[in-house]
C-alpha cells in the first residue's frame, strides 16, 4: 500500500514537535516504542470504521525524558458511505508527566489524516487525559471541526482497568460525544472487555461495544451493539 504524506497545518505541528525532540541534548534519555494489532473490526467512539470488517493497525512513538513525545498510528479503514479512504493516520504531539505520585497528565494535539480521499475529511483535536494510579482515567477531546463537520464537538470518557492475576485484566469505558446540534445529536457509547496476555508482548483482547439511538442515527448500520476481537502487541 502506497503511503501519501499530505502536509497541513496539523501535520506540520506534529513534525515541528518531532524536530524539537531531535535537537534536545543528545545525552538525555529517549525511547522508541511501538504497537501492532490485527482486529476483527476497527471501532472508534462506538462506530465501525471498517464496515465491520477486519483492520490492520500499527503505531510508533518517540518519547523524551522531558515528557515531550511525538507519535504516529495508522489503521486500514472503509467508511460508509464510501469516500475513497483506505487508511487513517493519527499524528500526535504532546507532553505526559506526573502531577502527583498517583496522578499523571497527558496533553496532546491530534491530527486525523486520510490520504487520497474525496472532500475534506482531515481534522484536528486537542486532548487531555488524567490517569489515577494507572487504573482510572478521564479523557477530554475538543475540536472546532469535529469529524470534519465544520462544527464543534467535545468528547468525554471515563475509563477503568483492573488486573485479574498475572495474565488477565478487565477494562471498561463510558463516553459521551457532545456535538453541535447543527451537525447531529450528541450520543453516548460504552465498552467492556477482557485482555489475556498469553505470551508477552502478545495479548488477545475481546471487547463488547454499545451505543444509544443517537449514535445509530448518526452512523446508520455502523453503530449499536457489536463485538470485537483483536490480537495486539506492544514493543
Amino acid at each position: 500500500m502506497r503511503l501519501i504524506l499530505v502536509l497541513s497545518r496539523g501535520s506540520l505541528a506534529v513534525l515541528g514537535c518531532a524536530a524539537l525532540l531531535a535537537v534536545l541534548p543528545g545525552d538525555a534519555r529517549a525511547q522508541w516504542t511501538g504497537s501492532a494489532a490485527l482486529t476483527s473490526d476497527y471501532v472508534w467512539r462506538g462506530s465501525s470504521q471498517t464496515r465491520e470488517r477486519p483492520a490492520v493497525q500499527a503505531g510508533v512513538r518517540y518519547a523524551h525524558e522531558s515528557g515531550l513525545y511525538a507519535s504516529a498510528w495508522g489503521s486500514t479503514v472503509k467508511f460508509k458511505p464510501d469516500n475513497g479512504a483506505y487508511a487513517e493516520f493519527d499524528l500526535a504531539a504532546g507532553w505526559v508527566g506526573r502531577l502527583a505520585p498517583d496522578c499523571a497528565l497527558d496533553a496532546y494535539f491530534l491530527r486525523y489524516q486520510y490520504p487520497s480521499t474525496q472532500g475534506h475529511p482531515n481534522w484536528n483535536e486537542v486532548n487531555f487525559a488524567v490517569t489515577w494510579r494507572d487504573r482510572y482515567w478521564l479523557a477530554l477531546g475538543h475540536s472546532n471541526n469535529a469529524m470534519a463537520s465544520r462544527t464543534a464537538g467535545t468528547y468525554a470518557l471515563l475509563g477503568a482497568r483492573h488486573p485479574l492475576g498475572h495474565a488477565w485484566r478487565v477494562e471498561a469505558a463510558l463516553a459521551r460525544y457532545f456535538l453541535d446540534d447543527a451537525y447531529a445529536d450528541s450520543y453516548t457509547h460504552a465498552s467492556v472487555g477482557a485482555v489475556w496476555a498469553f505470551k508477552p508482548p502478545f495479548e488477545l483482547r475481546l471487547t463488547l461495544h454499545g451505543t444509544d439511538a443517537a449514535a445509530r442515527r448518526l452512523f446508520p448500520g455502523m453503530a449499536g451493539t457489536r463485538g470485537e476481537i483483536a490480537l495486539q502487541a506492544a514493543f
Side-chain angles (χ1 to χ4, degrees):
M1 185 179 294
R2 188 162 58 98
L3 303 184
I4 301 174
L5 177 62
V6 181
L7 292 180
S8 62
R9 284 181 294 178
S11 54
L12 284 174
V14 177
L15 291 174
C17 180
L20 175 61
L21 291 175
V23 300
L24 288 172
D27 57 349
R29 289 175 298 172
Q31 183 179 16
W32 285 95
T33 55
S35 64
L38 176 62
T39 180
S40 63
D41 190 3
Y42 170 22
V43 181
W44 179 84
R45 296 182 180 177
S47 171
S48 174
Q49 308 295 285
T50 53
R51 299 188 183 182
E52 301 181 307
R53 299 173 183 173
V56 178
Q57 303 171 340
V60 64
R61 171 172 167 148
Y62 179 77
H64 190 267
E65 69 170 356
S66 63
L68 291 172
Y69 68 88
S71 67
W73 179 90
S75 176
T76 54
V77 296
K78 185 69 172 178
F79 293 119
K80 182 181 181 181
D82 190 0
N83 64 353
Y86 60 82
E88 172 188 326
F89 294 100
D90 297 352
L91 308 175
W95 177 87
V96 62
R98 291 281 174 184
L99 301 178
D102 290 335
C103 184
L105 171 66
D106 186 3
Y108 59 99
F109 173 91
L110 182 60
R111 172 72 172 180
Y112 296 91
Q113 195 85 34
Y114 303 92
S116 298
T117 55
Q118 302 170 9
H120 303 281
N122 307 318
W123 58 290
N124 305 324
E125 189 175 63
V126 177
N127 289 264
F128 301 90
V130 177
T131 304
W132 184 61
R133 292 188 175 178
D134 297 323
R135 289 192 181 184
Y136 309 96
W137 61 94
L138 168 65
L140 295 173
H142 179 77
S143 174
N144 291 326
N145 185 27
M147 294 182 282
S149 65
R150 299 181 183 273
T151 62
T154 300
Y155 183 73
L157 178 145
L158 281 170
R161 67 171 63 93
H162 183 73
L164 298 175
H166 176 69
W168 289 86
R169 68 180 183 274
V170 293
E171 300 177 344
L174 177 65
R176 178 77 173 173
Y177 209 161
F178 299 93
L179 299 171
D180 192 310
D181 291 341
Y183 173 57
D185 293 332
S186 301
Y187 71 87
T188 300
H189 76 90
S191 65
V192 60
V195 181
W196 176 32
F198 63 94
K199 186 176 177 60
F202 297 101
E203 297 180 332
L204 193 63
R205 171 173 52 86
L206 174 63
T207 308
L208 300 178
H209 301 271
T211 69
D212 62 8
R216 295 194 295 271
R217 290 193 299 268
L218 179 58
F219 307 110
M222 296 295 102
T225 302
R226 68 193 63 247
E228 172 196 0
I229 187 168
L231 176 65
Q232 59 194 32
F235 49 89

